[in-house]
Amino acid sequence: MAVFKQPSSDRRLAWRWIGGVAFSFLFAVLGFAFASIPGLEHLGPLACAIVLAVMYRHFFGYPEALRSGIQFAAKHLLRMAIILFGFKLNMAVVIHQGLGLLLRDAAVIVFSIWMMMSLGKIVKANASLSLLLGIGTGVCGAAAIAAVAPIVEAKEEDTAISVGIIALVGTVFSLAYTFIQPFLPVSHKHYGIWCGISLHEMAHVALAGAAAGQDALAFALLAKLGRVLLLLPLSLLCMYWMKRKKKNADTKEKKIEFPWFLLGFMLLSLFGSVVSIPKPLLNSLSSLTSFMLTAAMVGLGLNVSLRDLRTKALRPLVAICITSILLSFLSFFVV
């Protein structure tokens, strides 16, 4: 009888896996739908999908029967999205036109991580959240957090909380930039670079930069691309740091998984830099990347407990607000 039960069991597992992936896709669609509502459009589909997933778990619990498919989306779709994110980075533009910005971009990353970790200690925030938020603030928001979280072995709950916080703070700051732009006594180029080296996500940079026109937007995106370019060396540094940390903690060194998906990210960046990709195809790939990243966030959001969120999120939220304010002021005068 066991011979006949095995196919049935495998079929049941397959359907549960499909159901879990479909569940993640459904919440991703809902995330995009909620992000199109006036007042929520600047928050973005990632944050909306995470909030919906958190609320679902709070009221209905984790859908255990669908866990395998949800975890697949949270892990593998996330890595595929990071790889496709490479198409957004044109390294030729960064290298030929923005090498001078790379030093400032590197300084922004170092400052953001150092300040978040320092303030995190002062306000007694969770160290993992402080590190992830520092990386997200310094590099490129949710994408950077998602890329580095597996390397530093962050909990999925911490990753989801970090993405939600950085989406909220980045949205507030980008709207603030847009509001004060007409009153700033600086050129559009200065304003654009300031947006690019100080705001959190690519979408936040685009929102604030566009307020001063196309020239400001171009410089804003150029400055932001430099920070995205530094994601790979930062990830390798994190990997080295984790190896040293484990080696010092244990007599036997544990193996750290190499982030191969980041090499895919860089290869697609190189490909997109030397091959002219039609704009409609590039836009489609960008939409696919955003959808996959949003679907991956659903699995992370389901791991968040509202009870833990209240106790863990407030202190890092205070730290990232102070860090972002200091970064905005300092970078304005450095540009």
Side-chain angles (χ1 to χ4, degrees):
M1 291 183 67
V3 175
F4 295 98
K5 285 183 179 180
Q6 186 65 34
S8 176
S9 177
D10 290 344
R11 193 178 299 113
R12 191 181 303 113
L13 291 174
W15 277 112
R16 288 180 177 181
W17 181 88
I18 293 172
V21 174
F23 183 91
S24 299
F25 283 177
L26 172 62
F27 270 69
V29 171
L30 291 174
F32 275 90
F34 271 79
S36 65
I37 297 175
L40 296 178
E41 67 271 19
H42 300 309
L43 191 58
L46 273 74
C48 289
I50 284 179
V51 170
L52 289 172
V54 171
M55 297 306 297
Y56 182 94
R57 172 179 169 169
H58 180 70
F59 289 107
F60 304 105
Y62 194 103
E64 290 292 342
L66 307 178
R67 181 179 286 273
S68 61
I70 293 171
Q71 289 183 335
F72 173 85
K75 182 176 180 180
H76 297 287
L77 287 185
L78 175 61
R79 296 184 177 190
M80 291 170 64
I82 296 297
I83 292 172
L84 290 176
F85 192 76
F87 279 120
K88 295 187 177 184
L89 172 61
N90 191 320
M91 288 195 292
V93 175
V94 177
I95 293 172
H96 292 119
Q97 298 184 34
L99 267 179
L101 290 174
L102 282 178
L103 288 176
R104 279 176 280 190
D105 288 333
V108 164
I109 294 174
V110 172
F111 173 83
S112 299
I113 296 175
W114 172 77
M115 183 57 65
M116 268 304 304
M117 295 300 291
S118 300
L119 289 174
K121 289 181 179 179
I122 293 173
V123 300
K124 297 181 180 179
N126 178 276
S128 177
L129 283 174
S130 298
L131 176 60
L132 292 177
L133 288 171
I135 291 171
T137 302
V139 187
C140 53
I145 291 173
V148 176
I151 300 173
V152 299
E153 299 180 355
K155 295 179 181 178
E156 290 186 346
E157 180 185 48
D158 292 343
T159 305
I161 293 173
S162 300
V163 170
I165 289 176
I166 209 155
L168 174 63
V169 174
T171 299
V172 171
F173 272 74
S174 59
L175 291 174
Y177 276 36
T178 302
F179 176 76
I180 66 174
Q181 184 273 325
F183 307 102
L184 295 175
V186 294
S187 67
H188 289 171
K189 175 182 176 180
H190 183 120
Y191 172 77
I193 294 175
W194 179 49
C195 291
I197 68 173
S198 62
L199 286 174
H200 307 71
E201 304 249 9
M202 187 73 77
H204 299 148
V205 171
L207 170 64
Q214 291 302 309
D215 289 341
L217 178 59
F219 280 106
L221 294 177
L222 178 61
K224 185 62 175 178
L225 286 176
R227 293 163 68 188
V228 177
L229 177 63
L230 295 172
L231 176 59
L232 180 59
L234 175 64
S235 298
L236 295 176
L237 282 174
C238 288
M239 185 177 172
Y240 174 75
W241 173 66
M242 287 297 294
K243 281 188 174 182
R244 289 292 300 270
K245 182 180 177 182
K246 286 179 176 290
K247 189 173 183 179
N248 292 335
D250 304 320
T251 55
K252 184 178 179 181
E253 181 180 352
K254 295 180 181 178
K255 185 177 180 181
I256 304 293
E257 182 182 357
F258 187 83
W260 296 106
F261 60 96
L262 286 176
L263 291 184
F265 162 80
M266 293 303 294
L267 286 174
L268 287 191
S269 299
L270 286 169
F271 180 81
S273 301
V274 299
V275 177
S276 180
I277 302 174
K279 192 170 182 179
L281 177 59
L282 201 59
N283 291 337
S284 298
L285 288 171
S286 179
S287 299
L288 177 62
T289 301
S290 298
F291 183 82
M292 292 171 66
L293 198 56
T294 303
M297 293 298 107
V298 174
L300 302 182
L302 287 172
N303 287 311
V304 177
S305 165
L306 280 181
R307 184 179 303 170
D308 293 337
L309 184 63
R310 287 196 298 269
T311 59
K312 294 178 73 173
L314 181 58
R315 291 176 180 178
L317 178 61
V318 171
I320 192 178
C321 286
I322 296 174
T323 299
S324 299
I325 291 171
L326 291 174
L327 178 60
S328 294
F329 274 101
L330 292 175
S331 60
F332 183 82
F333 294 106
V334 169
V335 174

